[in-house]
Amino acid sequence: MSTYKTLITDVLVVGAGLAGERVAVEAASHGLDVIILSLVPPRRSHSTAAQGGMQASLGNCAMGEGDNPDVHFADTVKGSDWGCDQDVARLFVETAPLAVREMAIWGVPWNRVVAGKRTLPDGRVIEEKKEKEGLITARDFGGTAKWRTCYTADGTGHTLQYTMDSMVIKMGITVHDRTEAISLIHDGEQCTGVVARCLRTGDLRVYIAKSTVICTGGYGRLYSASTNAVINEGSGMFIALNTGVVPLGNMEAVQFHPTGMVPVWILITEGARGDGGYLLDKNLYRFMPDYEPKKKELASRDVVSRRMIQHMRKGYGVDSPYGPHLWLDIRHLGAKHINTNLREIANIARNFAGIDPVKDLIPVRPTQHYSMGGVRTNIDGAAYGLKGLFAAGEAACWDLHGFNRLGGNSLAETITAGRIIGKKVAEYTLGATLSYNYELVDKAVKEQENRIKALVNGWNGKENVYELRKLMEQNLMDYVGIFRNGKDLQKAVDNLRELYHRSLKIGLRSNGEGANPELAQALRLPGMIKLALCISYGALMRTESRGSHAREDYPKRDDANWLKRTLAYWPEGADLPELKYEPVKITELPPGDRGYGESSAESQGGKNG
Amino acid sequence: MADRELTFEIFRYNPQKPEVKPYLQTYKLKETTGMTIFVALNQIREEQDPSLMFDFVCRAAICGSCAMVINGRPRLACKTLTKTLPARIKLFPLPVFKLIGDLSVDTGTWFRHMSLKTEAWVHTSKTFDPKAQEERMDNETALKIYEAERCIECGCCIAGCATANIRDEFLGAAGINRVARFMLDPRDERTPAEYFEVVGSEEGAFGCMGLMACDDNCPMELPLQMQLAFVRRKMASIGIGYKPGKGIKLA
Ligand SMILES: Cc1cc2nc3c(=O)[nH]c(=O)nc-3n(C[C@H](O)[C@H](O)[C@H](O)COP(=O)(O)OP(=O)(O)OC[C@H]3O[C@@H](n4cnc5c(N)ncnc54)[C@H](O)[C@@H]3O)c2cc1C
Ligand code: SF4
Ligand code: SF4
Ligand code: FES
């Protein structure tokens, strides 16, 4: 007979990043009882790492003049390469300005408009208007028609998360940190909560809820080079996938950031290029203007990343023990600018690579950065397949980003979707009654207990969890990167499938007692490999190029066959996902040229090199 | 340098197994270029001892998870390059905070408690009007608030503080800095007397002995000395006429 603690609540939010806390605040303000679970204290969530800013069309600054939700909408849809749902994009752009202003009331110290003339790094002179002084300002960020990215110096994610968490504390919302949801409790139709493992003691706990909301962030750490925090392992996504009835949307849509710093893969924000930084090759030649004469270093992320890879493939990369890379040059911005406006970047270079960007070049290369795919939901955030299950933030495929997320749109998504979906969760929960089946709960716990016993005792085998993990990371990095082709993708699928089987035979090296970290990793790895398979198999099947998904063997976007979203299901006992497709919602803007990357010639990238 | 063999002596203890007394365990590792304590500890866990407990999240000095005592000094492990240390490296968990196991401590609970005690949120009577333009703020003010808000709750200032080590409820430099953050914020409507309730005591600004270990230890290089002085000055000026015994709000 198992003994475990059971907690009951109205709303269970899994994840305490910006999306999770915003949902929780909304639900609690409707008078509902809310519990938030998190791997780490909320303020350590990955959201705090976002430095650049968030998009909202306030149009207060000079370079944002004339901005409005329509322009933001067009940027978002084009950015997504028409892969997003346009009704969702519309709702998002209309709500984002509100969400920003609300965060201002709650305490975010947004940077404000300062009236007067100033010279931009490229020599243009702009004038901020007196009548706008003191309103929330914005900066430039890759791929937008207007300056629309609201920010607080170099710590936007930090101030947003601290402010949001101050609301959670003020409202007295219960947070169980160091608690990991390891499976969903459901009967194939209704989700009634989760089985969780305490990361302080190793004990299992049960949370029963009328509604469960997955806000667990991205899966960046499936790749060996990722800008993401080390806890971003996609666990919320695979516990949903494991139900067999909840699909993940567009998992093949993976964004790379052009400038991860070699070799620790810490992100050097767009701010560096936004403020006038250059990309140089091994001959210290500034190559981006050759490829993208208009936008240069500021073309959209997928375009810049691809140009960098293309240029390195032509032999212009700088050799290093960690593979070829390029240089980011911000020296010409001057010590004062670097040490104030770009302080965080300067610190990163100094502390983690021992170089001084005032004098030195920063080694960079494209690095995995953002997961567009995730738990597929409708516009209300309700997951497909199970009642009482919702998802928001990077863990979800709401689907605002389609095949490419605009820089600054994901922070905006967390608080905007959190606001909207939180309300829908509250409405649903207020109308729901708590009913759950005791046997179902017990069975769900037993299943996890048995997995743990098998791992600890090595009943299924003696595979080493860390070795398998490295192989998974390497396969994604080598074969499911920025440029993809059928041959490599097939290799990835074959290898990962074998790895999946091996992951079912993991045995621990340590004793697995208490909050043992090896056990935590071993419990996650099979799910992580499932996600890796959803990504590679989805990419293999999608025989076109769209947004961040660039096939060398199918370099063109193919609207006739592929203007649709991949839905990956994992049937019980399978070793490959089952793929289904659904049409994307086009309500306003018919598919056209993306426009801003100069080159839809971008799709020739593969062919050229 | 790259050829050095590093010797790590690491504090081991699992509070769930009190019968095994705390001890130091030694691991040897070959140094590689650009190696940080983050890289080293993960390598030890993956290749030598998968039971070793420690915390990292961002590995970029942003999240505040990884503070530990490295060769006698509280620091962020992710931000410490091994090449800046001698070949023998001693690692201990932060004092003051509750130990979870080995190098992992519960800073999260401590900081949430501190936020509750100092009521670290904007106290305002205003409600959000979705149709209204935002209230204006001077950019200088915004930057000043941000400067104080940069604290990442790592606990280094607390671990190195003599007062915090002997007085359980002492807010520490991070707590006093947090109060300063809200005092600087024109949106917060609290009066000086209300702030006095929060920090005007031995548990707050008056418990500080001013030795400034906190200032030296802060990885964010927050101007803690300045913020402590700012809060103490404010408190001293309204403290005249303060009746002890009313006390501060304690959780
Ligand atoms: C370095 C970097 C910089 C970025 N900069 C920007 C930027 O400037 N602008 C922008 O718009 N976007 C940016 N992004 C993207 C953006 O930060 C993220 O998409 C966003 O913050 C995700 O928020 P979230 O709330 O969905 O998830 P997260 O903030 O990742 O939170 C996830 C939460 O889930 C919890 N969790 C996970 N799994 C479990 C589980 N099994 N059980 C319980 N809890 C769990 C975690 O503890 C955490 O609290 C950046 C991303 C990176 C990597
Ligand atoms: S100056 Fe005050 S807060 Fe800082 S370490 Fe000394 S006693 Fe602690
Ligand atoms: S004040 Fe500095 S040392 Fe103290 S918790 Fe904050 S960041 Fe860490
Ligand atoms: S791991 Fe985030 S501060 Fe070190």
Side-chain angles (χ1 to χ4, degrees):
Chain A
M1 186 62 216
S2 1
T3 54
Y4 48 85
K5 199 164 153 191
T6 303
L7 294 105
I8 296 179
T9 182
D10 291 327
V11 179
L12 179 69
V13 180
V14 185
L18 278 171
E21 290 208 321
R22 186 63 190 84
V23 167
V25 162
E26 194 64 31
S29 70
H30 283 74
L32 291 163
D33 202 12
V34 181
I35 297 180
I36 308 179
L37 307 184
S38 175
L39 300 174
V40 295
R43 294 178 187 208
R44 315 230 186 275
S45 297
H46 181 57
S47 287
T48 55
Q51 298 173 329
M54 62 162 284
Q55 294 215 28
S57 57
L58 295 171
N60 290 329
C61 67
M63 296 299 283
E65 228 169 87
D67 199 10
N68 59 46
D70 293 338
V71 187
H72 190 186
F73 175 82
D75 278 342
T76 302
V77 174
K78 283 182 199 164
S80 80
D81 221 351
W82 280 267
C84 71
D85 272 345
Q86 294 188 7
D87 54 347
V88 169
R90 175 51 72 181
L91 180 64
F92 162 76
V93 296
E94 298 288 345
T95 314
L98 267 180
V100 167
R101 292 192 180 115
E102 189 171 47
M103 292 307 297
I105 287 236
W106 289 346
V108 171
W110 295 114
N111 276 46
R112 304 294 175 135
V113 175
V114 179
K117 280 204 175 90
R118 90 196 134 99
T119 312
L120 301 181
D122 64 5
R124 275 179 300 170
V125 178
I126 57 168
E127 179 162 11
E128 300 289 355
K129 294 209 176 104
K130 189 78 198 157
E131 76 247 30
K132 298 283 188 187
E133 187 149 57
L135 296 177
I136 297 169
T137 191
R139 61 158 57 123
D140 199 8
F141 224 37
T144 62
K146 302 278 180 188
W147 288 22
R148 185 188 298 129
T149 306
C150 308
Y151 64 100
T152 49
D154 49 20
T156 314
H158 174 90
T159 59
L160 281 169
Q161 180 85 55
Y162 272 53
T163 299
M164 195 65 87
D165 192 51
S166 79
M167 294 303 290
V168 166
I169 293 176
K170 177 186 171 191
M171 296 173 82
I173 296 172
T174 306
V175 179
H176 290 176
D177 67 1
R178 293 187 188 259
T179 302
E180 174 171 3
I182 58 173
S183 78
L184 291 179
I185 303 170
H186 71 99
D187 59 7
E189 282 175 16
Q190 176 88 36
C191 177
T192 44
V194 308
V195 178
R197 179 167 175 264
C198 173
L199 301 178
R200 287 184 174 82
T201 62
D203 296 343
L204 295 184
R205 279 203 293 263
V206 165
Y207 292 85
I208 306 279
K210 291 179 190 162
S211 51
T212 304
V213 196
I214 295 181
C215 305
T216 49
Y219 57 63
R221 286 286 161 165
L222 299 178
Y223 282 80
S224 51
S226 170
T227 61
N228 287 196
V230 300
I231 59 168
N232 285 25
E233 300 184 313
S235 56
M237 295 185 201
F238 65 69
I239 62 176
L241 184 70
N242 281 342
T243 62
V245 291
V246 178
L248 303 180
N250 279 351
M251 289 298 280
E252 64 270 34
V254 183
Q255 186 175 72
F256 283 72
H257 194 286
T259 51
M261 187 175 68
V262 184
V264 280
W265 316 119
I266 296 177
L267 174 115
I268 303 296
T269 116
E270 235 96 31
R273 282 172 294 129
D275 285 10
Y278 303 143
L279 288 168
L280 308 180
D281 64 18
K282 70 172 179 189
N283 302 320
L284 304 190
Y285 174 72
R286 185 181 174 201
F287 58 91
M288 277 307 291
D290 293 354
Y291 295 101
E292 304 289 333
K294 250 201 238 144
K295 286 272 183 176
K296 307 181 180 82
E297 278 84 356
L298 285 172
S300 81
R301 279 190 183 150
D302 54 337
V303 173
V304 177
S305 297
R306 255 176 271 159
R307 295 309 191 193
M308 289 170 76
I309 296 283
Q310 201 177 336
H311 202 62
M312 287 196 283
R313 281 189 179 180
K314 288 184 189 162
Y316 293 112
V318 185
D319 282 324
S320 88
Y322 313 100
H325 64 77
L326 295 160
W327 298 115
L328 174 66
D329 186 5
I330 57 173
R331 296 171 302 181
H332 52 286
L333 302 180
K336 184 160 173 258
H337 187 91
I338 293 172
N339 291 329
T340 50
N341 296 37
L342 299 173
R343 177 171 54 186
E344 217 85 354
I345 293 173
N347 286 342
I348 285 170
R350 285 179 192 130
N351 297 326
F352 304 95
I355 52 177
D356 181 1
V358 173
K359 310 193 297 272
D360 304 322
L361 299 170
I362 309 172
V364 293
R365 64 149 285 158
T367 302
Q368 190 287 340
H369 185 50
Y370 186 81
S371 331
M372 270 79 76
V375 178
R376 177 65 183 142
T377 72
N378 67 13
I379 192 169
D380 297 336
Y384 284 21
L386 282 181
K387 268 191 291 182
L389 184 66
F390 295 79
E394 193 170 341
C397 177
W398 189 24
D399 181 356
L400 170 65
H401 308 298
F403 275 78
N404 187 44
R405 167 199 69 127
L406 286 190
N409 254 1
S410 46
L411 274 188
E413 179 187 16
T414 60
I415 60 168
T416 307
R419 194 175 196 276
I420 295 167
I421 292 168
K423 197 155 169 247
K424 295 292 174 186
V425 168
E427 283 166 13
Y428 169 87
T429 311
L430 288 167
T433 45
L434 190 75
S435 68
Y436 69 94
N437 175 332
Y438 179 76
E439 263 164 53
L440 198 71
V441 173
D442 213 44
K443 192 171 140 253
V445 179
K446 283 241 168 61
E447 203 176 302
Q448 298 308 318
E449 277 176 347
N450 291 339
R451 281 182 74 202
I452 291 171
K453 275 188 213 142
L455 286 167
V456 171
N457 296 310
W459 286 339
N460 298 331
K462 259 308 193 184
E463 290 283 4
N464 180 329
V465 61
Y466 296 110
E467 271 171 37
L468 298 189
R469 178 178 177 147
K470 281 227 168 74
L471 291 170
M472 170 197 71
E473 291 173 353
Q474 212 50 53
N475 268 291
L476 283 181
M477 209 63 207
D478 291 348
Y479 306 128
V480 203
I482 292 176
F483 283 118
R484 303 167 171 184
N485 64 66
K487 208 169 115 243
D488 284 354
L489 290 169
Q490 186 64 56
K491 221 184 284 175
V493 170
D494 294 343
N495 292 347
L496 287 165
R497 222 167 155 177
E498 189 205 319
L499 278 176
Y500 174 66
H501 287 288
R502 289 176 65 187
S503 76
L504 301 176
K505 301 195 182 98
I506 293 170
L508 299 191
R509 263 138 196 79
S510 58
N511 61 20
E513 278 174 1
N516 181 288
E518 188 190 18
L519 177 58
Q521 185 71 79
L523 284 168
R524 275 175 224 138
L525 195 68
M528 292 167 72
I529 298 178
K530 283 183 182 173
L531 297 184
L533 273 163
C534 290
I535 296 167
S536 14
Y537 193 51
L540 175 65
M541 289 300 146
R542 185 172 283 273
T543 48
E544 66 155 354
S545 289
R546 184 181 296 273
S548 65
H549 172 69
R551 287 280 300 249
E552 292 167 290
D553 42 358
Y554 297 94
K556 290 247 152 55
R557 199 176 80 199
D558 176 1
D559 289 334
N561 295 301
W562 287 103
L563 194 56
K564 55 189 183 187
R565 179 176 302 108
T566 309
L567 298 177
Y569 291 83
W570 201 282
E572 205 180 328
D575 64 358
L576 257 194
E578 187 187 319
L579 302 185
K580 296 183 183 166
Y581 295 92
E582 67 173 6
V584 299
K585 251 181 232 116
I586 294 179
T587 51
E588 299 180 46
L589 196 61
D593 193 80
R594 292 179 80 195
Y596 58 83
E598 242 116 318
S599 354
S600 293
E602 79 200 27
S603 30
Q604 290 159 21
K607 274 196 250 151
N608 294 345
Chain B
M1 182 62 94
D3 290 332
R4 282 204 307 179
E5 186 182 63
L6 302 176
T7 304
F8 285 87
E9 290 180 285
I10 300 182
F11 174 89
R12 302 299 308 268
Y13 181 60
N14 179 355
Q16 283 181 282
K17 282 184 110 182
E19 65 278 12
V20 184
K21 294 275 169 275
Y23 60 99
L24 283 184
Q25 190 162 351
T26 304
Y27 303 94
K28 290 198 189 291
L29 206 62
K30 232 174 135 43
E31 188 170 34
T32 51
T33 36
M35 181 179 260
T36 60
I37 301 287
F38 161 71
V39 173
L41 283 175
N42 275 292
Q43 207 171 316
I44 291 175
R45 183 192 275 173
E46 286 171 25
E47 290 164 13
Q48 302 185 35
D49 188 344
S51 71
L52 187 62
M53 290 174 62
F54 50 77
D55 295 317
F56 290 96
V57 177
C58 71
R59 58 77 179 90
I62 291 170
C63 76
S65 299
C66 66
M68 55 185 71
V69 179
I70 302 172
N71 283 354
R73 233 192 100 188
R75 324 172 47 155
L76 295 181
C78 69
K79 196 183 158 185
T80 303
L81 292 154
T82 53
K83 74 171 182 192
T84 62
L85 301 169
R88 284 190 94 75
I89 300 174
K90 274 198 186 186
L91 303 180
F92 282 87
L94 287 190
V96 182
F97 303 97
K98 187 170 172 219
L99 184 72
I100 289 175
D102 303 337
L103 299 171
S104 171
V105 293
D106 197 346
T107 44
T109 301
W110 193 97
F111 276 96
R112 184 165 161 125
H113 182 61
M114 180 273 272
S115 276
L116 272 169
K117 275 202 299 192
T118 56
E119 300 191 6
W121 52 83
V122 169
H123 289 52
T124 176
S125 50
K126 298 205 176 86
T127 47
F128 178 59
D129 174 0
K131 291 196 195 72
Q133 192 176 51
E134 66 271 22
E135 228 170 82
R136 289 172 201 253
M137 182 187 276
D138 173 52
N139 195 50
E140 284 302 310
T141 309
L143 290 175
K144 255 195 213 141
I145 299 169
Y146 176 64
E147 193 56 34
E149 179 132 313
R150 285 174 56 241
C151 165
I152 57 173
E153 303 196 342
C154 66
C156 286
C157 61
I158 309 298
C161 167
T163 312
N165 272 279
I166 50 171
R167 201 192 286 272
D168 263 357
E169 288 291 325
F170 182 52
L171 291 174
I176 295 165
N177 174 68
R178 178 63 45 79
V179 174
R181 179 249 173 267
F182 288 95
M183 284 176 145
L184 288 165
D185 194 329
R187 293 167 295 194
D188 197 307
E189 294 162 359
R190 273 179 281 186
T191 61
E194 285 171 295
Y195 281 120
F196 196 91
E197 288 282 298
V198 173
V199 278
S201 76
E202 298 283 298
E203 255 90 43
F206 301 137
C208 165
M209 302 188 285
L211 301 172
M212 290 308 151
C214 51
D215 205 287
D216 293 342
N217 285 332
C218 177
M220 300 304 286
E221 292 170 21
L222 288 178
L224 294 175
Q225 187 159 7
M226 192 189 87
Q227 303 288 33
L228 287 172
F230 165 71
V231 173
R232 222 168 331 169
R233 241 186 357 258
K234 284 239 160 184
M235 290 305 105
S237 66
I238 55 163
I240 310 161
Y242 168 73
K243 290 189 195 67
K246 208 170 159 233
I248 63 160
K249 281 183 201 159
L250 282 183

